[in-house]
Amino acid sequence: MISKKLLSTLCLLLFSGITFAQFTQAEAELQELVKKTNAVGLAVAVVKKGKLIYTHSFGYKDLEKNIPLSDSDIFRIASISKSFSATTIMQLAEAKKLALTDDFSKLVGFKVRNPKFPETVITLKMVLSHTSSINDSEGYFNLDVINPEKGKNWEKCYNNYEPGKGYMYCNLNFNMIGTVIEKITGQRFDGYVKKQILSPLGLYGGYWVESLQQDRFVTLYEYNSNLKKFMPSPLAYAPRTEEISNYVLGYSTPIFSPTGGMKISATDLAKYMTMHMNYGKYNNKRIISKKSSKLMQTKVSDEESYGLAIREDSTFIQGKLLKGHTGSAYGLFSSMFFDPKEKFGIVVITNGCDPKYTSGKNDIRKLSSTLLYNALIK
C-alpha cells in the first residue's frame, strides 16, 4: 500500500512536471551518493515554484542504535543559524528599536572598538556582515574575550584593517548579535526567536536543548580519518543546565549560540528558506518586510559576496546565482540555497560524512544539491 507521504510527494512532483521515473531515479542517485560519500545520514528538501515538493531522509540518525533518519528529526544546523539572528534584528530595526547604523558599543553594553582605529565606529551592520574587523582568535563562547573590562587579551580580537574596509567571517560577531537582541527586548534570546520567527511560521525547533524532544535529535558524527570511523559529538546538544541556571540576561547569550545553535529539521528549514525566497513572507505570514529581506540578501563585501547572514554563490550549482548559507560543526554539514527570482531552493543536511572537498566546496552538499536541481527543478 502506498504511504500518504509518498502519495502527497508524487502529487506535488506531478504538479511540478516531474515524472515518476525521474523521481525514482533521483532517489536512487541520492542513495548512491550517500554510499559514495560515506555519509551517516542525509536529509534533503526541495522547493519549486514556491512550494515544498520533496523531502526525504537517507541513512541513520544513530549508528550505535541502528536508528534510521526520518524527516521529522532535528539537527543542530550550525552557521545557517546566523540568519535567524539577523532576521530578528531586521524586525527590531523595522520597529525602530535600533538602526543598522547604530554604534555597536552602545547596543551591546561594552566598548567595541578596534584599538588600532579607536575613532572608527563599529556599526551594527558591520557586525552583521562580518566587516567589523573582529575575529575569533580568542574564541567566541563567551563575551569576556572581547569585553575590555574582563578580557586580558581583548585587543587580539581585532584585525589590522579598519572596520568597514575588510571582511573576515567571525562567529563572535553573531554571539554578540544575540546579546543585542536580549538587551533591546528584555527577553531571553532563545524564547524571543521562537516567538518571533518559529511559531509564526509553524516550525518546530529552537536553540534551547531542554525545550525540545530529546528523541528527535540527530546524533552528529565527526569522521576520524586515522581510525576510519565515525565518532559521536555529544557536545552538539550539551544542555548546559548549570550555565543556564546562572544566566545573566544580555551577557550570557553565547550559551545558546546565536551563531550556530539552531536545531531544526531539513523540512522546516526549507519552509523558513521559502520565507526568505519570498522576501519575508510565507503562508500569508510576513516575518520581515520586502525591503529588509532584500537588504539581507544584498552583498556588502565584494570579496566574499556576503550580505547580512545571507550570501551569494554562483558556483554551488553551476550557472545559478543563489542566495543562502552553509553550516559546518561537530561533523555536520548543512546548506540552504535558493533563487528568489526563479522561486526554487534546496536544503541539504548530513550528520556525518568523509568530508572531501572539490574547489573549496564540500562534496556531499554540492553534489546532492546539483543532483536535486537537475532531477527535480531543471
Side-chain angles (χ1 to χ4, degrees), residues 45 80 273 311-328 333-339 344-349 357-374:
I80 298 176
M273 173 187 71
R311 66 181 178 86
E312 292 182 354
D313 196 308
S314 59
T315 62
F316 200 76
I317 294 176
Q318 205 62 42
K320 292 293 173 183
L321 180 61
L322 303 178
K323 313 277 187 165
H325 214 290
T326 59
S328 307
F333 293 93
S334 59
S335 62
M336 175 192 83
F337 280 105
F338 58 93
D339 186 327
F344 75 82
I346 299 171
V347 167
V348 169
I349 311 177
Y357 289 78
T358 302
S359 301
K361 297 286 193 298
N362 173 265
D363 279 358
I364 193 166
R365 286 188 300 214
K366 180 177 172 63
L367 292 173
S368 52
S369 296
T370 300
L371 190 160
L372 287 164
Y373 173 76
N374 289 334

Side-chain angles (χ1 to χ4, degrees), residues 90-303:
M90 300 311 289
Q91 290 178 334
L92 294 172
E94 288 173 23
K96 302 192 183 307
K97 299 288 181 66
L98 47 68
L100 298 184
T101 54
D102 283 347
D103 183 337
F104 197 75
S105 296
K106 294 178 181 178
L107 294 174
V108 80
F110 55 84
K111 189 175 180 180
V112 179
R113 282 286 191 280
N114 188 322
K116 301 174 185 69
F117 303 92
E119 302 304 316
T120 302
V121 172
I122 294 176
T123 66
L124 173 59
K125 188 175 182 180
M126 289 178 189
V127 178
L128 285 166
S129 61
H130 299 300
T131 58
S132 62
S133 79
I134 298 170
N135 62 58
D136 286 330
S137 64
E138 298 303 298
Y140 53 89
F141 292 113
N142 70 73
L143 302 185
D144 288 356
V145 296
I146 194 171
N147 185 343
E149 297 174 10
K150 297 189 177 185
K152 294 180 180 179
N153 298 315
W154 67 270
E155 294 181 340
K156 294 182 179 179
C157 292
Y158 295 91
N159 294 326
N160 292 324
Y161 55 81
E162 187 176 358
K165 295 185 178 179
Y167 172 95
M168 177 177 279
Y169 189 86
C170 171
N171 287 302
L172 181 56
N173 279 330
F174 275 83
N175 277 347
M176 291 195 294
I177 288 293
T179 302
V180 167
I181 291 168
E182 291 190 342
K183 289 274 190 182
I184 296 296
T185 66
Q187 298 179 47
R188 210 171 73 178
F189 171 79
D190 60 304
Y192 191 78
V193 173
K194 183 176 182 179
K195 182 178 74 173
Q196 294 297 118
I197 299 177
L198 298 178
S199 294
L201 293 175
L203 310 180
Y204 182 84
Y207 289 85
W208 184 20
V209 169
E210 292 188 329
S211 70
L212 300 165
Q213 294 176 28
Q214 305 300 296
D215 61 353
R216 291 179 69 169
F217 287 131
V218 179
T219 304
L220 306 187
Y221 294 89
E222 294 203 61
Y223 185 70
N224 187 312
S225 57
N226 293 324
L227 298 176
K228 297 193 182 305
K229 65 181 294 188
F230 288 100
M231 312 296 288
S233 302
L235 287 177
Y237 306 115
R240 306 191 72 178
T241 308
E242 184 177 347
E243 293 99 318
I244 292 172
S245 68
N246 297 310
Y247 199 87
V248 177
L249 193 72
Y251 201 79
S252 300
T253 328
I255 288 172
F256 292 110
S257 188
T259 201
M262 173 60 74
K263 292 90 180 169
I264 196 169
S265 68
T267 299
D268 276 353
L269 183 58
K271 295 173 184 176
Y272 166 79
M273 173 187 71
T274 306
M275 178 272 292
H276 280 293
M277 187 176 72
N278 292 333
Y279 294 122
K281 191 175 182 181
Y282 177 73
N283 273 358
N284 297 317
K285 293 281 187 180
R286 180 157 291 284
I287 301 301
I288 53 173
S289 70
K290 187 174 184 179
K291 181 180 179 181
S292 292
S293 183
K294 285 192 170 184
L295 185 58
M296 285 183 67
Q297 297 176 31
T298 302
K299 64 181 181 181
V300 173
S301 163
D302 286 330
E303 179 188 349

